[in-house]
Amino acid sequence: MATEQTALITLFGATGDLASRKLYPALFNLYKKGEIKEHFALIGTGRREWDDDKFRSVVSDSVKGAADSDQQVSDFASHFYYKSHDVTNPEHYKVLKGVADQLDAKYDLKGNRIFYISLAPRFFSLVANNLKQQNVFSDNGFNRLIIEKPFGHDFESAQELNDSLSSAFDEDQVFRIDHYLGKEMVQNIAALRFGNPMIESVWNNKFIDNVQVTLAENMGVGERAGYYDTSGALRDMVQNHIMQILSLLAMDEPNKYKDVEIRAQKVKALQSLHIYDEDEVAKNFVRGQYGANGDQKDYRHEDNVPEDSNTETFVAGKLEFQNNRWAGVPFYVRTGKLLADKFARIDVVFKKPALDDFARANGTAPQLLPSVLTIKIEPDSGFEMQLNKKHVGQGYTTDSFKFTHDLTDSEMKEVPLPYERLINDAMKGDHTNFASWAEVAQAWKFVDQIEKFWNSKKADFPNYTPGTMGPKAAEELLTRSGRNWAFRAED
Ligand code: NAD
C-alpha cells in the first residue's frame, strides 16, 4: 500500500539528460502509485532560461508514454516549477529559498526538503555549500541531499568532496546514488541469503569455491566518450556498482534488516578486502580496450577519444576478503564495453566433492560439475541453480540440470524503476540502498592501488575484439587455478 510522502524536491540539472530520461519517469511512477500526490512539488533549475510552462512541457514529454491519460500528465506536471539558475551566483540561492517557502505553504510540505544535485561533479560541493550559506534549508521538516555519481575520481578527491559536503550536510542527510542498489535482483541478494538458512549456512569458504560478478555491455562508448575517457571501466563500474554488489554478497547478517545495521556490515566486509600491492595488481587485475571489428571503430578512433588513450574499456579482477568466512575464496569480477551481450549476473560456484566417486567407479574421467547458484540481474531477472544428477539409463554416470525461477511478465511490470525506488527511499529517510561514505572510501582505497599501477605502465591496447568477453588474460585469470567463468560467450 502506498504511503503518501510529503516533500519539496529542488533539482539542480533539471534540463539535463538524466533528469528527462530517468528522474521524471521515476517521479511519475511514484505519482501514479500514490507515493507522491498533493503534498509534493519540484523546483527545477538549470542554466537555460525556461519558464514553468516550458519546463512542464519537457517533463510531460518525458512521461507521457507511461500515462493513463493526458489529464494525469498535466496534473503531475502542475507540481513542477522552474527557476533558471547559475550555481556560482549566491543571489540565485536566495531566490530558490523564496520559491521553496511559497511552495511549502501552497502544498503544505511541512518543511521537508530534498536537494537533488544532478550536475557535473565539479559543482557538487559548491551547490551544497551555497544551500547552507544562503540558508535554503527549512527549520522544520527534513533537509536531505541526493547526490549523483561519480563521488570523486580517487580516494583523495572523494575525501575532499565529502569533507566539503559535511560542512553543509550531516552523513545521515546525504543519499549517494548508486542505481544498481535500486535494482530488484540486487535487492534480492539479502532475501536469498538471509531468508533461507539452507543457503546462508553454506555461504562461506567451506562450501563456496568462488564467486563471479559480471556486468557486461554490448555497446561502445558512444556519446559518453569524452567523460568515459577520463574514467574508464574500473572507476565507472567497479568502484561503485561492483563494489556495492560484492559488499552485499560478502557481508555478515545484520542484527536487524535496517539501514544502519546493513551499512555497518557492508563496511565491515569492505574493510576486510585485501588491498593489493603492485605485484598483486599485476597478477590479479586485467585491463582491456576494444579494437576494431567491421564497421565498429577501435576505441582510440571513437569521437572525443585521444589516439593514444590508455583508458580501459574492460576490466576483470580477482578480489579477496580476508576474514574467516571468505579466506581462500576468490571473488572474480568483470565488466566492459562492446562485449558479447548486455547482461548482469552473479554466479556463486560451489565446491565439487573432493573425489568424483561416480567417475572412479565407472573408470571414466571426472564428470561432476560444480553446483552453481546464479542471480540474474538483467535482462532476465531471476535465479538459477545448476546441480548434478544421475544420467538417465543403465550404469551410473552423471550429468547436470538447472532449477530456474524467472520473474513473470506481470511481476516484471510491478518492478519499480531503480530511480523510483531510490527517490522514494530518500523521501522516507531510508539509507539501505545508498552508499555510505565509509563504503565509498574503502572502495576507492582498493581501486586507487590498481589505478596507480596501471598509470605507471603503458597498456598493450587494443587487446580484445568487439563481441567477445574481453581479452584472453581475463580467461586465464581463472583457468590458471583450474576455474572457468560460469557464463561464457559461446554458452
Ligand atoms: P547534462 O550535461 O545532460 O546536464 C547538466 C545539467 O547541469 C543541465 O541541466 C545544465 O543546465 C546544468 N548546469 C550546467 N552548468 C550549470 C551552471 N553553471 N549553473 C546551473 N546549472 C548548470 O548531465 P546529465 O547527463 O544529466 O548528468 C547529471 C549528473 O548525473 C552528473 O553528475 C552525471 O555524472 C550523473 N549521471 C548521469 C547519467 C546519465 O545517464 N545521464 C548516468 C549516471 C550518472
Side-chain angles (χ1 to χ4, degrees):
M1 247 256 307
T3 326
E4 186 188 350
Q5 304 299 317
T6 299
L8 171 69
I9 298 180
T10 305
L11 175 62
F12 295 89
T15 61
D17 171 70
L18 186 78
S20 58
R21 275 195 315 110
K22 303 284 183 189
L23 306 185
Y24 304 142
L27 287 165
F28 187 58
N29 278 3
L30 291 174
Y31 187 75
K32 276 173 56 177
K33 292 174 186 172
E35 301 280 356
I36 48 175
K37 285 197 281 206
E38 298 312 315
H39 305 294
F40 156 72
L42 184 143
I43 308 172
T45 79
R47 262 180 315 187
R48 296 186 195 188
E49 299 287 335
W50 288 357
D51 57 14
D52 292 348
D53 285 344
K54 168 68 186 169
F55 184 37
R56 288 173 189 171
S57 85
V58 169
V59 170
S60 301
D61 283 348
S62 76
V63 305
K64 63 185 179 204
D68 300 326
S69 66
D70 291 349
Q71 188 61 43
Q72 187 181 43
V73 175
S74 63
D75 288 349
F76 171 69
S78 72
H79 291 253
F80 286 67
Y81 298 81
Y82 187 80
K83 278 282 158 230
S84 101
H85 180 82
D86 175 358
V87 286
T88 59
N89 187 338
E91 291 307 309
H92 285 191
Y93 294 85
K94 293 184 184 144
V95 174
L96 289 182
K97 162 88 172 161
V99 181
D101 290 345
Q102 279 169 21
L103 293 178
D104 207 312
K106 178 168 178 180
Y107 291 97
D108 190 15
L109 299 174
K110 308 210 179 317
N112 289 343
R113 294 193 182 168
I114 291 188
F115 302 96
Y116 194 133
I117 309 187
S118 175
L119 297 168
R122 66 181 183 282
F123 296 132
F124 289 173
S125 74
L126 176 72
V127 172
N129 282 292
N130 266 311
L131 289 170
K132 166 94 173 170
Q133 280 152 20
Q134 307 312 323
N135 193 25
V136 191
F137 297 161
S138 72
D139 301 329
N140 51 337
F142 57 69
N143 293 285
R144 295 180 184 146
L145 175 71
I146 303 184
I147 192 153
E148 266 302 329
K149 79 165 199 177
F151 199 90
H153 56 268
D154 56 14
F155 173 69
E156 207 179 309
S157 59
Q159 184 159 52
E160 219 170 89
L161 170 60
N162 201 59
D163 287 350
S164 171
L165 292 183
S166 52
S167 53
F169 291 89
D170 295 336
E171 174 69 13
D172 67 1
Q173 295 175 291
V174 179
F175 294 77
R176 295 176 196 81
I177 292 271
D178 186 319
H179 73 280
Y180 268 75
L181 293 177
K183 289 185 188 277
E184 185 69 24
M185 295 310 295
V186 173
Q187 297 197 350
N188 244 305
I189 297 172
L192 182 73
R193 291 185 52 192
F194 307 128
N196 298 295
M198 182 189 90
I199 301 280
E200 186 55 15
S201 58
V202 296
W203 207 256
N204 55 52
N205 57 4
K206 288 194 190 67
F207 295 95
I208 291 179
D209 180 81
N210 72 90
V211 179
Q212 306 177 7
V213 178
T214 306
L215 308 184
E217 294 175 60
N218 57 359
M219 305 287 280
V221 280
E223 287 172 7
R224 285 183 77 223
Y227 158 74
Y228 193 85
D229 198 63
T230 64
S231 164
L234 184 66
R235 289 191 178 120
D236 194 44
M237 299 294 285
V238 177
Q239 188 277 334
N240 37 46
H241 312 316
I242 287 185
M243 284 294 185
Q244 284 296 324
I245 291 173
L246 287 177
S247 66
L248 290 168
L249 290 168
M251 73 178 184
D252 287 338
E253 184 165 10
N255 289 339
K256 275 198 210 129
Y257 210 72
K258 293 285 288 175
D259 52 5
V260 176
E261 281 87 352
I262 295 165
R263 283 172 146 201
Q265 293 304 333
K266 286 169 71 187
V267 172
K268 196 176 93 181
L270 290 171
Q271 283 172 343
S272 72
L273 251 190
H274 175 54
I275 302 210
Y276 290 143
D277 64 22
E278 266 192 25
D279 290 345
E280 290 168 322
V281 172
K283 204 168 122 219
N284 295 318
F285 266 80
V286 171
R287 56 178 158 168
Q289 190 186 77
Y290 59 80
N293 195 10
D295 290 344
Q296 174 61 51
K297 291 181 203 162
D298 66 281
Y299 176 73
R300 288 175 177 173
H301 287 94
E302 297 274 25
D303 294 345
N304 298 321
V305 174
E307 286 195 8
D308 59 350
S309 172
N310 221 24
T311 299
E312 79 287 355
T313 60
F314 175 93
V315 53
K318 172 184 151 189
L319 297 88
E320 299 162 21
F321 290 94
Q322 291 188 327
N323 56 39
N324 277 326
R325 185 195 278 264
W326 294 119
V329 179
F331 282 68
Y332 296 107
V333 303
R334 64 181 165 167
T335 183
K337 301 277 183 198
L338 274 178
L339 299 181
D341 210 345
K342 178 174 167 54
F343 63 92
R345 61 188 271 157
I346 299 160
D347 296 289
V348 180
V349 181
F350 288 85
K351 290 188 171 170
K352 292 197 281 188
L355 297 172
D356 187 338
D357 276 333
F358 307 106
R360 287 204 304 163
N362 286 299
T364 60
Q367 296 156 355
L368 291 177
L369 293 176
S371 307
V372 181
L373 173 62
T374 301
I375 302 173
K376 294 183 286 185
I377 300 172
E378 58 198 8
D380 301 328
S381 295
F383 305 99
E384 241 170 50
M385 181 85 208
Q386 172 181 283
L387 296 169
N388 290 299
K389 69 167 181 56
K390 180 187 166 294
H391 186 72
V392 175
Q394 297 275 353
Y396 212 98
T397 54
T398 57
D399 55 23
S400 69
F401 73 104
K402 277 182 185 162
F403 285 122
T404 302
H405 172 78
D406 285 330
L407 300 196
T408 62
D409 289 348
S410 64
E411 281 175 326
M412 288 301 286
K413 285 199 190 106
E414 295 299 311
V415 171
L417 299 168
Y419 275 96
E420 173 187 344
R421 193 163 350 223
L422 297 178
I423 294 171
N424 201 22
D425 283 351
M427 288 194 288
K428 290 178 176 158
D430 182 345
H431 281 91
T432 305
N433 299 307
F434 294 88
S436 69
W437 164 240
E439 292 161 44
V440 172
Q442 205 55 29
W444 273 127
K445 284 181 191 166
F446 181 82
V447 159
D448 276 1
Q449 280 298 100
I450 300 162
E451 288 287 352
K452 194 168 117 198
F453 175 66
W454 282 358
N455 289 339
S456 71
K457 287 197 166 43
K458 193 137 186 65
D460 192 11
F461 288 159
N463 62 352
Y464 73 94
T465 309
T468 66
M469 284 307 291
K472 213 161 158 277
E475 296 289 326
E476 289 161 4
L477 199 59
L478 281 78
T479 52
R480 69 176 183 231
S481 60
R483 299 180 169 100
N484 281 298
W485 290 104
F487 174 86
R488 303 167 64 76
E490 61 271 20
D491 288 350

